Amino acid sequence: MNAISRPIVGREHELALLNHPGPARLVEIVGDPGIGKTSLLGEFARQRGRGFTGRATEFEQHVPFAVFLDALADRVAALDAAERDRLGEPAVELLTAVFHGVDHADLHGVGRHRLYRAVRTLLEVVEGGTLVLDDMHWADEGSVGLLEFLVRHPPAGPFVMAVGYRPRQASERLFAALSHASGTERLRIELKPLTLQQVCQLMPTVDAARARQLHDASGGNPFYLDALTRVAADGDPEVALSAEFAALTPRELLVAQAAALAGDPFDPELVAEVAELAEAETLADLDELVARDLIRAENSARRFRYRHPLVRSAAYRTGRAAWRLDAHARAAAGLERRGAPATSRAHHVERAARAGDDKAISVLVEAAESVLASVPALAVDWLRTAIDLLPRTPEQRTRLCGLMLLRARALLVIGRLAECRETAQEVLSLMPPEPSEQRSAAVSMCGTVERLLGRYDEAQALLVGELNRLPDRHGRPALGMRIDIAAGLLQCAKFEEARDWVTQALDSPSQHQIRPLTLTIGLSILATADAYTGRFDSAVGHVRRAAATLDGLSDGELAERLYLTLEVSWAELVLERNYDALRHVRRCAALAERTGHSHLQPDIQLTFTQVYAQLGDLALAAEHAEATLETALLMGRTELLEVIHARQSEIALWRGDLKAALQFAELAVEKTQPGNYWWSGEGTAALAAARLANGDPQGCRQELLRGGDPTLVGYAPSLRRLWFDELVRASVALGDVDTALEWGRKAEESVAGGDLPGRTAQAWLASARARLAAKDFPAGAELAGKAADNFAQVHLPVFEGQARHLLGAALGELGRREEAQLQLGRAKELFANCGATGMHAAVVQQQRLLGARSTRVRKDGGPLTQRELEIAELVAHGYTNRQIAAQLFMSPKTVEAHLSRIFTKLGVASRTGVASHLARHAREM
């Protein structure tokens, strides 16, 4: 990698930092051009031993994942059988498709996030532990996106990534990508110019006067210093660099120019075609360029690259502008003859194409379509060029609108929503007002992006306005628009209005014209709206019909409106049909991956999060919640942050990580945005639950009652049932049993008219907790048992475990110890299967207490009561008084009173003493 054939001088401090980077997983080496970043990165790579090195290049910024191709392509080709087995066949196939060389890279259907995960796994599987990426200020968008993913989710093990770049030329995206590492995980080294003393040390044979002259002329920049000494020049380093090329023969200079244009690295055959020379002549001239150290041979056969990017840039600039136009055209033609895909030819084509060049337009469009799923930012650029080349004639208007819509889709995928909206609106202005498939697609695109921008009113106005313009208010386009309008209203929790719009479409005289996909979406909207408004029987009927229709659709039909087909999965989730929801979201995710609907990832991942949380796979739910957050941030979907962090809090709480649950809940409230959505109130509910679990029942109650009675506020009935349960638990923890009973009564009343099994069980569970706190153990046991059976019926294992835990406690109080142990054993099994470690530990403790109710006796203080025994166990596990109060549904003052009696009976004076006593007598337990 070294750009100059000199020792590294004047960088002793920097080398010491690189020798011992400490806990840093990201090393940045930054500075001006030629300051020595490449040399230092090369030394770092040498010190680390096995690893991978890649370099971005100035003229290949439109080559997808170019820097990672440079770093990993050879290693992917050399994977052995054991490594392939560890990676898995799908990952190997994907990596082979992308990383077997820039001239053959096939990116059709490659999804970004699937590729990102495959690269991370590759870096974990192969030996190395170091990834060096140089000149990242020139990196393409795909490489920066992959870098960001690796910074956010570094490979496991002692992995270090070193990045070199010029800060003055780096993009905001690169800075944002690197910012995800902070503190001791990030080591940033900024290189300064060499001092005069260091220049003298670097060139010991040069006298002091000459050294000062060179230092002043070069500004202490090692690269320019080298350029001046190579040609014995005294002035401008740029002039000195140009002098290296001035010494070449005309044919050698032509080959140097062609090599600079052909790529980095480049092969001699393509250089010969660009220079229009015989291959033998080209090879002879390349030998001369190697002898002059302008270019250097790569390790792989028949590949060369310039000794430094600045040298390549200087060579490129020596070529005349008109010559470069034709040379790029020859490069594109040469690559086409070699069978290179459009992605490899596009950056040459866009530099050489003339206005109206239909072949060039086709190449750019083909290249854009092939990277739409993997590097959509490149698709945006290539389509912009294709649109600029297209003649503005009436005959080309339909084609122009099609390309603009394709570019709008790419803009949507990368989250440039405002520009997407502007492009789609321009398409509408170019189209005639008469109905057409293309116009309907443009209207749908506008409506979608307006909703994603949180402009629900604007989306509705656009769709209603377009609907009113249609001559046939009951034709197929009109019916589809009614469904689109209903979808937007559903997002805003306007359930009755959404029902009305769908009903208008389904009751239309032309209902037979409704396409099956549109019908599926309409039925799923009806199902969700009916569920939220208490029409459960009709909701179940609608969702069954929607699912049956959806299952009969081909993937091609489904791909047309994939965004709205997620409505089916959400309707099934709301109606507690979790396995159906999982089946449908899996199909949606697979299809989105294949068709490049990357912008759907936040919604898809959020659906997965909810499904797996409900089904009790908490580890997988947490993984999908993190993916939801990552994709939402990437797409600018900030309106989803409240519900994402609320889900993360809920999952952390169930897994027993109380601190993380509180942190996520606070983020959920912080990220809450104004407006009404179907998830309104999720952040508040999460914060209340987290505060209660962390021993703050008063804070829990304050959060839940901030907006008034939960029977009157919030939009999700299921959420209200959970609020009742939290209010009961908080009231019990505060010693206010009467209030707990009142909330329990309201919970039962809320489902008295009929509800879904799971939501009914949530209300019963809340009331059961209140009855137990009031020592009405028979009623509490009955309600907890009914709740457990309902939760089991709809496959909600975490909630079933809670109900059976409560049932076991009630049966124990009633003296039915064998039945109690049976219920507790089932609860423990459920929690273990789900990974709900905190809840599992609580059940184990309950079992031990039930099995040793009167075995622990202090000879000088009498036996501990059942309640004292429970509190002593929690003290031994490090619980604070507030946490114990929340766990056992009593006030902190009551805990203090019990603890005082425990100290007396055990003859100890501290919480540590309680823990020590229990540990000594563990075998008796």
Side-chain angles (χ1 to χ4, degrees):
M1 280 182 64
N2 288 341
I4 56 175
S5 304
R6 297 184 184 278
I8 298 178
V9 171
R11 306 300 187 200
E12 291 76 15
H13 174 67
E14 290 83 354
L15 287 170
L17 289 174
L18 293 177
N19 280 330
H20 304 285
R25 297 179 68 94
L26 173 65
V27 176
E28 295 171 70
I29 299 179
V30 305
D32 291 336
I35 203 66
K37 301 182 295 297
T38 297
S39 296
L40 208 58
L41 284 169
E43 180 62 19
F44 177 69
R46 188 190 66 78
Q47 291 172 0
R48 297 278 299 181
R50 288 189 296 266
F52 309 100
T53 298
R55 189 174 82 184
T57 54
E58 182 178 7
F59 303 119
E60 283 73 38
Q61 295 180 52
H62 284 154
V63 177
F65 305 108
V67 65
F68 286 91
L69 285 167
D70 192 28
L72 301 174
D74 290 343
R75 189 62 184 85
V76 169
L79 288 170
D80 60 31
E83 291 167 340
R84 288 172 174 268
D85 287 342
R86 291 177 64 191
L87 278 165
E89 194 59 35
V92 171
E93 290 179 358
L94 176 59
L95 292 168
T96 301
V98 176
F99 288 140
H100 59 42
V102 68
D103 288 348
H104 304 91
D106 181 6
L107 297 174
H108 281 279
V110 175
R112 283 178 291 172
H113 303 287
R114 182 167 154 245
L115 173 62
Y116 293 173
R117 291 191 295 271
V119 171
R120 181 178 64 183
T121 305
L122 171 70
L123 294 171
E124 292 172 341
V125 166
V126 299
E127 294 184 6
T130 306
L131 178 63
V132 175
L133 305 175
D134 197 8
D135 289 331
M136 285 299 288
H137 50 278
W138 283 326
D140 61 277
E141 283 289 327
S143 293
V144 176
L146 180 48
L147 169 66
E148 180 175 19
F149 177 83
L150 293 175
V151 172
R152 287 172 60 88
H153 306 285
F159 178 83
V160 178
M161 186 158 51
V163 177
Y165 62 92
R166 304 174 189 173
R168 290 186 178 86
Q169 293 175 247
S171 65
E172 289 297 324
R173 177 79 192 281
L174 178 62
F175 285 127
L178 298 173
S179 69
H180 291 292
S182 60
T184 57
E185 292 185 343
R186 184 179 184 183
L187 172 62
R188 190 175 191 271
I189 299 174
E190 184 172 359
L191 299 184
K192 303 294 184 182
L194 300 178
T195 65
L196 175 59
Q197 181 181 1
Q198 291 165 342
V199 170
C200 293
Q201 184 183 354
L202 182 63
M203 298 183 296
T205 61
V206 174
D207 61 54
R210 176 63 174 159
R212 178 178 294 279
Q213 185 181 38
L214 290 171
H215 174 266
D216 292 345
S218 66
N221 184 296
F223 175 81
Y224 291 134
L225 183 67
D226 179 69
L228 290 169
T229 56
R230 283 176 182 271
V231 294
D234 298 328
D236 187 346
E238 295 286 353
V239 175
L241 192 58
S242 298
E244 291 195 69
F245 293 100
L248 301 176
T249 68
R251 199 182 75 186
E252 291 167 351
L253 180 59
L254 176 63
V255 170
Q257 293 164 345
L261 184 144
D264 186 27
F266 58 85
D267 64 78
E269 291 80 5
L270 184 60
V271 171
E273 291 194 53
V274 173
E276 298 180 289
L277 294 172
E279 187 174 328
E281 295 174 316
T282 301
L283 289 171
D285 292 332
L286 288 175
D287 281 340
E288 181 61 27
L289 297 179
V290 170
R292 291 177 178 271
D293 197 28
L294 287 167
I295 64 173
R296 295 172 179 177
E298 287 280 278
N299 293 331
S300 54
R302 303 184 70 81
R303 304 284 280 185
F304 299 84
R305 74 189 323 156
Y306 273 89
R307 75 167 189 263
H308 193 280
L310 289 173
V311 181
R312 182 191 178 198
S313 181
Y316 185 83
R317 291 197 305 269
T318 62
R320 299 185 310 277
W323 175 85
R324 288 200 298 263
L325 287 174
D326 288 338
H328 277 296
R330 290 192 293 273
L335 289 169
E336 183 179 13
R337 282 191 292 273
R338 288 169 171 74
T343 51
S344 296
R345 293 176 276 141
H347 70 286
H348 291 296
V349 168
E350 65 180 343
R351 287 169 171 79
R354 297 174 174 83
D357 186 338
D358 191 71
K359 183 178 180 180
I361 294 170
S362 297
V363 170
L364 292 169
V365 173
E366 180 185 349
E369 290 176 335
S370 71
V371 300
L372 189 59
S374 55
V375 197
L378 287 184
V380 168
D381 292 341
W382 283 332
L383 287 168
R384 174 75 275 170
T385 303
I387 290 168
D388 289 342
L389 293 173
L390 195 66
R392 296 304 194 267
T393 62
E395 295 76 18
Q396 295 286 357
R397 180 172 295 173
T398 299
R399 187 182 185 190
L400 173 64
C401 290
L403 292 182
M404 292 178 70
L405 275 178
L406 185 60
R407 187 169 184 269
R409 178 185 168 193
L411 290 165
L412 176 64
V413 169
I414 62 176
R416 286 162 59 177
L417 301 182
E419 195 173 348
C420 172
R421 173 175 175 266
E422 180 182 336
T423 302
Q425 288 181 337
E426 185 179 354
V427 172
L428 282 177
S429 70
L430 291 172
M431 288 180 172
E434 292 76 26
S436 67
E437 289 291 329
Q438 197 174 58
R439 184 172 182 86
S440 295
V443 170
S444 180
M445 173 73 72
C446 284
T448 296
V449 75
E450 293 285 16
R451 286 196 295 271
L452 292 176
L453 285 167
R455 299 161 58 93
Y456 292 99
D457 292 340
E458 288 83 352
Q460 301 304 89
L462 169 70
L463 293 169
V464 171
E466 190 69 20
L467 179 63
N468 290 334
R469 293 176 58 183
L470 295 177
D472 183 359
R473 301 289 299 279
H474 296 284
R476 176 180 289 179
L479 297 177
M481 285 181 193
R482 292 180 191 277
I483 302 298
D484 280 352
I485 292 168
L489 292 167
L490 192 69
Q491 283 287 105
C492 296
K494 296 179 179 179
F495 303 117
E496 293 290 354
E497 293 180 53
R499 289 188 78 256
D500 290 343
W501 279 98
V502 175
T503 302
Q504 289 175 26
L506 298 185
D507 291 345
S508 167
S510 305
Q511 60 175 286
H512 61 280
Q513 295 186 29
I514 299 178
R515 299 170 66 187
L517 177 57
T518 306
L519 175 63
T520 302
I521 297 166
L523 290 170
S524 63
I525 293 171
L526 268 184
T528 303
D530 281 354
Y532 276 122
T533 53
R535 302 174 174 95
F536 300 110
D537 290 341
S538 62
V540 171
H542 292 319
V543 81
R544 284 176 175 168
R545 188 179 170 196
T549 308
L550 177 64
D551 292 340
L553 294 172
S554 69
D555 285 352
E557 292 172 305
L558 193 56
E560 293 180 29
R561 303 290 297 280
L562 196 56
Y563 177 79
L564 294 179
T565 58
L566 279 171
E567 298 290 352
V568 177
S569 292
W570 274 105
E572 289 166 333
L573 269 171
V574 170
L575 290 166
E576 300 172 356
R577 305 170 71 87
N578 295 310
Y579 284 108
D580 288 338
L582 179 59
R583 177 168 59 88
H584 288 133
V585 73
R586 279 175 172 168
R587 183 184 180 192
C588 183
L591 190 53
E593 190 79 43
R594 292 200 303 271
T595 57
H597 286 72
S598 300
H599 63 290
L600 296 183
Q601 282 300 322
D603 304 278
I604 291 171
Q605 295 298 331
L606 182 59
T607 308
F608 272 126
T609 301
Q610 182 71 0
V611 170
Y612 284 122
Q614 293 297 307
L615 292 176
D617 192 337
L618 299 185
L620 203 51
E623 181 181 327
H624 281 287
E626 178 62 28
T628 308
L629 177 62
E630 178 185 322
T631 53
L633 291 173
L634 184 65
M635 301 296 170
R637 299 285 303 280
T638 55
E639 82 280 4
L640 293 178
L641 295 182
E642 177 189 0
V643 68
I644 294 169
H645 290 310
R647 288 290 171 272
Q648 289 179 307
S649 178
E650 178 183 59
I651 294 164
L653 194 61
W654 288 354
R655 299 177 83 183
D657 191 344
L658 306 187
K659 182 179 178 181
L662 183 59
Q663 291 172 338
F664 283 132
E666 289 171 341
L667 279 173
V669 172
E670 177 187 329
K671 299 299 183 181
T672 299
Q673 294 190 357
N676 292 325
Y677 304 99
W678 59 260
W679 58 82
S680 293
E682 292 273 4
T684 297
L687 184 56
R691 285 187 171 168
L692 178 61
N694 281 275
D696 182 13
Q698 186 62 45
C700 168
R701 192 154 71 171
Q702 287 175 350
E703 287 296 333
L704 291 178
L705 299 180
R706 192 184 304 278
D709 189 323
T711 59
L712 303 175
V713 299
Y715 292 102
S718 59
L719 191 59
R720 295 178 199 161
R721 310 298 186 270
L722 293 173
W723 285 16
F724 284 132
D725 193 32
E726 301 300 338
L727 284 166
V728 166
R729 295 174 61 199
S731 298
V732 171
L734 292 168
D736 191 353
V737 176
D738 289 341
T739 300
L741 286 168
E742 179 64 18
W743 285 122
R745 182 185 63 77
K746 287 186 176 182
E748 287 195 75
E749 288 177 353
S750 71
V751 297
D755 208 316
L756 297 170
R759 300 204 304 207
T760 300
Q762 287 168 353
W764 287 341
L765 182 62
S767 185
R769 293 191 200 277
R771 300 296 182 91
L772 261 65
K775 302 190 183 303
D776 184 355
F777 301 121
E782 180 184 358
L783 285 167
K786 289 165 57 180
D789 291 342
N790 269 28
F791 286 134
Q793 175 188 338
V794 290
H795 309 291
L796 297 173
V798 175
F799 288 109
E800 182 189 347
Q802 293 180 52
R804 296 200 182 280
H805 184 186
L806 199 64
L807 175 58
L811 292 171
E813 294 289 351
L814 291 170
R816 297 157 61 179
R817 298 178 64 180
E818 186 174 338
E819 295 175 71
Q821 287 287 20
L822 183 66
Q823 293 299 327
L824 292 174
R826 177 56 181 153
K828 184 171 70 172
E829 180 184 4
L830 287 166
F831 291 145
N833 291 339
C834 294
T837 54
M839 295 178 180
H840 181 272
V843 174
V844 171
Q845 174 194 331
Q846 186 81 44
Q847 285 182 311
R848 294 172 64 191
L849 292 171
L850 186 63
R853 172 165 295 186
S854 59
T855 60
R856 278 175 254 186
V857 179
R858 181 67 186 177
K859 62 183 179 181
D860 57 347
L864 297 180
T865 67
Q866 169 74 12
R867 183 61 80 192
E868 289 167 352
L869 201 53
E870 290 177 314
I871 292 172
E873 286 279 356
L874 293 173
V875 167
H877 282 85
Y879 280 57
T880 66
N881 286 0
R882 283 190 173 276
Q883 289 172 330
I884 294 171
Q887 182 81 10
L888 300 181
F889 314 113
M890 60 179 63
S891 71
K893 288 188 176 181
T894 303
V895 174
E896 290 175 13
H898 280 298
L899 195 55
S900 177
R901 289 191 291 273
I902 292 169
F903 286 169
T904 300
K905 289 182 177 183
L906 299 184
V908 299
S910 67
R911 305 171 81 90
T912 304
V914 173
S916 299
H917 175 86
L918 295 185
R920 285 196 305 273
H921 293 271
R923 290 187 178 181
E924 301 174 12
M925 302 176 193

